Amino acid sequence: MGVVNVTPDSFSDGGQWYGADAAIAHGLELVAQGADIVDIGGESTRPGAQRISLEEELRRVSPVVTELVAAGVPVSIDTMRAPVAEFALNVGVQLVNDVSGGLADPDMPRLVAAAGVSYVVVHWRGHSRDMYTRAVYTDVVGEVRDELSRRVDAVIGAGVDPGCIVLDPGLGFGKRPEHNWPLLARLAEVAQLAGGAFPVLVGASRKRFLGNLLAGPDGTPRPFEECDGATVAVTALAAAAGAWCVRVHQVPLNADAVRVASAWRQAAPDVAATAAAAPDVAGPPLPVTGRP
């Protein structure tokens, strides 16, 4: 999943694809580089970000979504607002990536259920403006799994087909750096809820916990744009562990990492089985038409 942030203030590439023409061109480039899905978002969810209006979010994403869908690009919409998702679904988007897991807009699960599309349910404890005040865990893996389980029950109760649900542990969302590593290392437990195993989306690309890991001798975190190598390493490990999809800013090397991980799993099924994040879970079909 390649990222197109149509925002002036996203943490990793704010402003680079803010204009519609630049965002459309970047989406086409990501597909040419090997992305299976292009994830379009118009509202920054970086730590401390303030919310924008519904009208502004629609203004940013509408032309980008419309043009990329018309060009045959498989598109997901990254939004917490049902009206934005509804617009995207009406023009042909087949996946909704909701970082709030349906908590920010209670109409979202019902909309997704009626449309019959795939739904990424992300672990979330609150909006970006104060997310770190909520980053308090005794057992981060157990608590994230339990909270995701409650959200899955809620969206299924709203009519969402369980076979259309993808889980995302929400790396960085209401989590401090030390919370993200156990979630990555124990994806199998995140995926395994009471109702069975669910496919998992991993979004680690360029996030702050990677910059902290790679900090210089003086403790200064590595800049976001210099964390792509670490992102590729996480991609390979997550894919080898059975993740359904990885969400990344730079596609080519991450696509290579996914291919390597796939070959690894096929050649060493016993090793893969011990680490599989979602064993035997294919996940919903990728929203791809006309592509092998």
Side-chain angles (χ1 to χ4, degrees), residues 156-181:
I156 291 174
V160 176
D161 181 348
C164 291
I165 293 174
V166 176
L167 302 182
D168 183 330
L171 302 177
F173 290 107
K175 298 169 189 72
R176 299 193 181 278
E178 64 270 20
H179 297 139
N180 297 306
W181 294 110

Side-chain angles (χ1 to χ4, degrees), residues 38-109:
V38 172
D39 193 44
I40 299 171
E43 181 176 28
S44 175
T45 53
R46 63 176 173 77
Q50 300 298 308
R51 298 218 69 187
I52 60 173
S53 69
L54 167 63
E55 293 74 19
E56 175 62 12
E57 187 177 354
L58 280 168
R59 185 194 69 79
R60 293 177 183 182
V61 303
S62 297
V64 183
V65 171
T66 301
E67 289 298 319
L68 288 178
V69 170
V73 172
V75 170
S76 65
I77 184 68
D78 179 358
T79 184
M80 293 182 280
R81 289 187 167 110
V84 176
E86 184 175 23
F87 168 84
L89 295 172
N90 285 339
V91 298
V93 167
Q94 292 295 310
L95 188 152
V96 175
N97 183 13
D98 179 359
V99 301
S100 79
L103 286 168
D105 188 335
D107 290 332
M108 184 74 87

Side-chain angles (χ1 to χ4, degrees), residues 148-283:
L148 277 175
S149 184
R150 290 195 289 272
R151 291 312 307 151
V152 167
D153 288 345
V155 302
I156 291 174
V160 176
D161 181 348
C164 291
I165 293 174
V166 176
L167 302 182
D168 183 330
L171 302 177
F173 290 107
K175 298 169 189 72
R176 299 193 181 278
E178 64 270 20
H179 297 139
N180 297 306
W181 294 110
L183 290 167
L184 283 169
R186 296 164 61 188
L187 283 177
E189 296 175 49
V190 175
Q192 192 73 39
L193 304 185
F198 287 85
V200 174
L201 171 67
V202 172
S205 183
R206 294 182 175 178
K207 288 194 172 175
R208 188 181 304 275
F209 74 101
L210 298 178
N212 288 351
L213 175 71
L214 305 174
D218 63 352
T220 301
R222 186 172 294 185
F224 299 123
E225 65 277 8
E226 295 180 17
C227 290
D228 288 330
T231 298
V232 171
V234 172
T235 289
L237 291 167
W244 171 74
C245 189
V246 289
R247 182 180 183 274
V248 299
H249 295 85
Q250 293 291 327
V251 166
L253 292 179
N254 284 285
D256 290 350
V258 169
R259 294 188 184 96
V260 169
S262 177
W264 182 285
R265 284 171 59 86
Q266 291 176 23
D270 292 338
V271 173
T274 63
D280 301 322
V281 178

